[in-house]
Amino acid sequence: MKQRENFGSKLGIIMATAGSALGLGNIYRFPVEAGNNGGGAFLIVYIAVALLIGTPLMISEFIIGRRSRSNPIGAFRTIAGRRTPFTLVGWGGVLSAFLILAFYTTVAGWTLGYLGKSLLNHFDGQDLPQIQAQFTAFVDHPWLPIACQLAFLAMTAFVVLRGVAKGIERWSKILMPLLLVIMLVLCIKSLTLPGASEGMRFLFHPDFSKITGKVLISALGQSFFSLSIGMGALITYGSYIAKNDNMVSSAVSVVFADTLVAVLAGIVIFPAAFSFGIKPEAGASLAFTTLPMVFQQMHGGYLFCLLFFLLLVIATLTSTISLLEVIVAALTEEFHLTRGKAAWLGAAVTAVIGILATISMRSSNPLSIGGTSVFDILDHATALYLMPLGGLFIVLFVGWYMKKTDTMAELTNEGTLRSGIRKAILLVIRYLCPLAIAVIFISQLIK
Ligand code: TRP
């Protein structure tokens, strides 16, 4: 087999993982989930879960990836030395990648559409009802959202085709920090709007009585989704980490950056939403109505809006790349397809499911099962079921199936890094993570 590439540098793997993590999960999905789950109550659970479960799980995926140097399916087989039920986790991950990519590219298409709208200055001088009507008109358009989605998928396939180090690294390195800067500017604007403090109270004053089973599983699902964990995406990335990289500090940096951007998105969206009279439970339209309203009131709003949607498209692209990469790595290494065939085949299959998800977001929704849209079914199936289960088996594999000496060897880079804190991390992986995931998962099933 030909030698697998490594990421060019330490910064490379952090940036690529951050590129995978940062995306619509932070800027679109986090506010939607926080808005639907009581704001502050959700935020506090979310941060706890990201820290105590998300970080160790991300490290676990890195361990499996670097140890096996393989895609998620081959990884478990390589380490176990034979086929075990854990191989199913790999297949589940590839399935998740298809399902996530399908509905993710619906919203990714919207960002492309909104980039076009900002270029054409569609938000200038519009009031809230007009901006809301624009959103509805866009998602209800017979072909435009589908065309945007397909364009996004094609872009993704194109970048993935160009290979790991070159394709992914180049994009994420330069543009993610710029997105952070723009988010900071937006925060300041949002916080100075009249009535903004009510939004801050919503996000930062937890009402502990609102922490229900639903909030717990939603926060767990959101953190897995936002960190790209629980389905093997980071096993694939881990397989490209160099032997002497410190994956504990890489994981901590990524979780920190990811949480920071989600919280910043909350600080942009909620104060502004309350100020304009947009409900925090607005759901799909929350970001796509609040943000144009903010830009529209800013000096230089046209340029900021344009730059923001451009960066959002790119942040989203680095996420779709990581999803398609899971599919491509599996198809090339398990079925010996060429990279080119694998990328286009993956994109084509995704497109078929994805178009259904996009159509199901129309306001007169014909594509729903039992009152739930195809989009929400895909979202719930992955974030509330497949990823928690995948995460559970990943921590069980690293904590209990792998030899302790092997796990510690990976954690400490064959004994060259301090082992004290890493022993503690292993304990968290063995006990706290599986227990917490199982309890949250089962409590949801019982309800
Ligand atoms: N984490 C990304 C986001 O927040 C989405 C994403 C990319 C993802 N790759 C993933 C989610 C793998 C789950 C699994 O936007």
Side-chain angles (χ1 to χ4, degrees):
M1 206 171 87
K2 84 174 195 298
Q3 172 126 42
R4 292 171 69 90
E5 292 173 87
N6 280 336
F7 276 95
S9 58
K10 169 90 191 287
L11 197 61
I13 185 66
I14 293 186
M15 286 319 245
T17 309
S20 165
L22 297 183
L24 296 173
N26 308 66
I27 291 162
Y28 168 82
R29 199 177 186 280
F30 173 80
V32 170
E33 292 293 303
N36 285 331
N37 289 290
F42 181 84
L43 179 65
I44 208 159
V45 178
Y46 177 79
I47 291 178
V49 168
L51 222 68
L52 293 175
I53 306 177
T55 316
L57 176 52
M58 183 180 284
I59 294 168
S60 300
E61 292 201 23
F62 284 164
I63 290 175
I64 297 173
R66 189 168 71 176
R67 193 82 195 161
S68 64
R69 299 255 168 232
S70 175
N71 70 78
I73 297 171
F76 293 97
R77 198 182 48 217
T78 308
I79 294 176
R82 64 196 159 85
R83 228 172 253 285
T84 61
F86 285 106
T87 318
L88 278 178
V89 179
W91 285 109
V94 177
L95 174 67
S96 300
F98 273 115
L99 302 181
I100 296 171
L101 198 54
F103 75 88
Y104 199 80
T105 49
T106 294
V107 185
W110 296 354
T111 64
L112 214 50
Y114 267 61
L115 177 61
K117 275 175 170 297
S118 43
L119 192 67
L120 299 173
N121 207 7
H122 276 187
F123 310 121
D124 192 31
Q126 302 261 297
D127 59 13
L128 181 63
Q130 286 170 316
I131 284 192
Q132 282 168 332
Q134 277 199 49
F135 179 74
T136 315
F138 178 74
V139 297
D140 282 352
H141 191 282
W143 52 263
L144 193 56
I146 296 175
C148 290
Q149 177 181 35
L150 294 180
F152 210 102
L153 259 173
M155 274 181 351
T156 307
F158 180 76
V159 178
V160 166
L161 269 179
R162 306 181 57 173
V164 177
K166 275 175 266 131
I168 305 175
E169 221 173 319
R170 192 187 304 151
W171 292 103
S172 9
K173 234 182 222 167
I174 316 162
L175 296 159
M176 291 304 107
L178 201 56
L179 181 65
L180 205 66
V181 173
I182 237 187
M183 299 280 300
L184 281 171
V185 175
L186 282 175
C187 280
I188 295 167
K189 177 69 200 177
S190 184
L191 286 174
T192 51
L193 290 168
S197 59
E198 220 184 310
M200 289 300 274
R201 204 167 311 124
F202 177 76
L203 189 59
F204 289 106
H205 277 237
D207 172 354
F208 289 98
S209 69
K210 286 203 175 131
I211 301 182
T212 59
K214 176 173 171 277
V215 171
L216 291 179
I217 186 75
S218 302
L220 185 83
Q222 172 59 23
S223 74
F224 282 20
F225 187 90
S226 189
L227 295 170
S228 310
I229 52 182
M231 44 75 73
L234 298 187
I235 293 182
T236 309
Y237 275 31
S239 72
Y240 301 115
I241 299 180
K243 276 287 166 214
N244 55 354
D245 276 352
N246 181 342
M247 42 192 183
V248 172
S249 76
S250 295
V252 170
S253 315
V254 172
V255 173
F256 178 79
D258 189 77
T259 308
L260 180 69
V261 173
V263 171
L264 285 181
I267 300 178
V268 175
I269 302 257
F270 289 112
F274 275 84
S275 170
F276 299 132
I278 298 168
K279 294 232 169 342
E281 307 88 13
S285 68
L286 184 62
F288 287 90
T289 49
T290 308
L291 290 168
M293 284 296 289
V294 175
F295 289 120
Q296 209 247 94
Q297 308 218 341
M298 280 170 79
H299 291 291
Y302 175 80
L303 278 181
F304 267 113
C305 186
L306 193 61
L307 191 58
F308 174 81
F309 278 109
L310 184 67
L311 291 174
L312 185 58
V313 163
I314 291 162
T316 305
L317 185 62
T318 54
S319 300
T320 55
I321 289 168
S322 79
L323 284 160
L324 189 58
E325 181 63 37
V326 173
I327 297 169
V328 168
L331 290 181
T332 51
E333 290 175 19
E334 297 298 312
F335 297 105
H336 308 292
L337 293 187
T338 62
R339 253 190 109 72
K341 281 214 185 90
W344 292 114
L345 182 66
V349 174
T350 305
V352 176
I353 322 170
I355 289 173
L356 299 179
T358 301
I359 293 174
S360 81
M361 290 309 265
R362 290 178 185 163
S363 48
S364 55
N365 175 2
L367 283 176
S368 63
I369 298 168
T372 311
S373 64
V374 171
F375 183 99
D376 283 342
I377 289 172
L378 293 169
D379 179 308
H380 296 167
T382 48
L384 304 184
Y385 294 91
L386 286 172
M387 285 194 272
L389 277 178
L392 179 60
F393 285 109
I394 288 167
V395 287
L396 287 176
F397 184 79
V398 171
W400 297 94
Y401 189 93
M402 280 179 72
K403 279 208 227 71
K404 217 168 163 179
T405 44
D406 288 353
T407 315
M408 279 314 288
E410 279 302 326
L411 277 170
T412 60
N413 293 357
E414 313 292 338
T416 58
L417 298 171
R418 281 197 11 236
S419 69
I421 183 145
R422 290 173 172 81
K423 281 194 184 129
I425 292 173
L426 185 54
L427 284 180
V428 173
I429 292 174
R430 286 170 71 103
Y431 296 98
L432 181 78
C433 289
L435 217 69
I437 299 173
V439 165
I440 295 177
F441 186 73
I442 292 168
S443 72
Q444 160 203 231
L445 290 185
I446 292 169
K447 266 220 73 190

